[in-house]
Amino acid sequence: MASAETEETFGASAEVDPEEEAFENPDVENLIRRWRNEKYAPEVLPFDQALIENMSEVLDFVTETLEEERVEGQQDPHDPDFCLRSLDLERMRYILRDYLRIRLWKLTQWPQHYLQPTNQTLLSTAERTFLKDFWDNKKLFFENRLLLALPAASQNLEDTNDLLDMVRRPDIEKHVYVRIRSDLGKIDIPPSMTQESAGTQQPLVLSEGSTYLLRYCLVKEFLTEPQHDGKVELI
């Protein structure tokens, strides 16, 4: 009984009744897609709290079920079906952990940027706490090691002098590979990205099902705004 429940959780069953359609958990595909997007995007993407909580519960349930089968002797540890389910569990567990690790890495690279109120909405509650503690400790280190020895006018880490911003930010001009999964309509190209005059400049039209090498800023809205969720994916 436990084995069948585990298989249904991930959407894979060794023996499926031909008359019954196999259950497929959509959260699995969504997590893999968000992991890939986060991995290849130059900035932190919006955090999907519901998805992460659901997948965490699924992984905990599958882990407990497999452990019960092993302890109670209901399943041979060397049985191919048991091994495949265990392997699939480890695969999804790795994807979830790596997704969270990538986000934390980005926060440590540009902490001041993501401490700004407009960017705090991208983060989970735990990430906000981590980021604040990380920057407080790093700032204290800078003060004790360097800043206190400088003139007071040079101690601020967030100054903007002569259009030079001291806050490090992600490079949204970076090129990424984008697969188009749905119709995006026409995308306007900023004048700075083309040599054509404003009057002759043509909008960008991307074909569904095709893959392109583009600047991230051109497709940013399709990865950060909820109404466009799933229309594109980074690869």
Side-chain angles (χ1 to χ4, degrees):
M1 182 65 177
S3 174
E5 292 177 350
T6 306
E7 292 164 354
E8 290 182 357
T9 302
F10 281 129
S13 176
E15 296 180 1
V16 180
D17 188 340
E19 298 182 358
E20 295 183 4
E21 183 178 354
F23 170 76
E24 183 176 351
N25 190 341
D27 286 342
V28 173
E29 180 181 353
N30 289 337
L31 176 60
I32 294 175
R33 176 169 53 84
R34 294 198 183 280
W35 167 61
R36 288 174 177 165
N37 289 343
E38 195 70 57
K39 184 175 182 179
Y40 297 116
E43 64 175 352
V44 171
L45 300 178
F47 185 77
D48 192 335
Q49 185 76 32
L51 173 64
I52 300 305
E53 289 180 352
N54 290 343
M55 284 304 302
S56 297
E57 293 178 2
V58 167
L59 293 175
D60 289 341
F61 169 75
V62 174
T63 300
E64 294 175 1
T65 302
L66 292 176
E67 182 63 19
E68 288 177 1
E69 292 182 20
R70 187 187 65 81
V71 173
E72 297 176 2
Q74 299 178 6
Q75 187 72 58
D76 180 3
H78 302 291
D79 180 75
D81 176 69
F82 183 83
C83 292
L84 287 174
R85 287 188 287 130
S86 299
L87 184 62
D88 202 29
L89 170 64
E90 292 302 320
R91 180 176 68 95
M92 295 308 304
R93 184 181 290 165
Y94 167 80
I95 290 175
L96 177 59
R97 290 176 176 174
D98 194 50
Y99 169 77
L100 298 175
R101 277 196 299 264
I102 292 170
R103 293 179 62 86
L104 292 181
W105 180 84
K106 291 180 180 179
L107 295 182
T108 60
Q109 297 302 301
W110 307 287
Q112 294 168 278
H113 174 72
Y114 289 110
L115 280 171
Q116 295 176 349
T118 54
N119 296 321
Q120 286 280 289
T121 56
L122 301 171
L123 313 180
S124 66
T125 302
E127 289 172 338
R128 294 190 196 104
T129 302
F130 166 83
L131 179 60
K132 183 179 183 303
D133 292 343
F134 173 83
W135 179 244
D136 287 345
N137 291 330
K138 191 170 184 178
K139 188 176 181 180
L140 182 61
F141 173 82
F142 286 153
E143 291 175 350
N144 292 334
R145 288 290 183 175
L146 174 65
L147 296 179
L148 294 180
L150 299 176
S154 302
Q155 293 183 7
N156 194 342
L157 295 174
E158 300 181 4
D159 282 342
T160 301
N161 297 320
D162 299 328
L163 301 180
L164 179 61
D165 192 353
M166 291 183 63
V167 177
R168 296 178 63 244
R169 305 184 188 279
D171 181 14
I172 62 172
E173 299 293 328
K174 178 181 178 181
H175 285 77
V176 293
Y177 284 99
V178 184
R179 178 182 294 142
I180 311 302
R181 303 181 59 187
S182 181
D183 179 46
L184 306 182
K186 296 181 179 180
I187 301 176
D188 293 329
I189 303 178
S192 59
M193 294 186 183
T194 178
Q195 297 180 352
E196 298 179 3
S197 62
T200 60
Q201 184 175 318
Q202 298 295 323
L204 182 64
V205 179
L206 304 177
S207 302
E208 182 177 348
S210 300
T211 301
Y212 300 88
L213 178 62
L214 302 170
R215 292 190 183 186
Y216 171 79
C217 58
L218 292 176
V219 294
K220 175 181 177 179
E221 66 174 300
F222 301 107
L223 292 163
T224 57
E225 298 182 6
Q227 67 268 28
H228 297 307
D229 185 43
K231 290 185 176 181
V232 303
E233 62 179 352
L234 304 182
I235 58 175

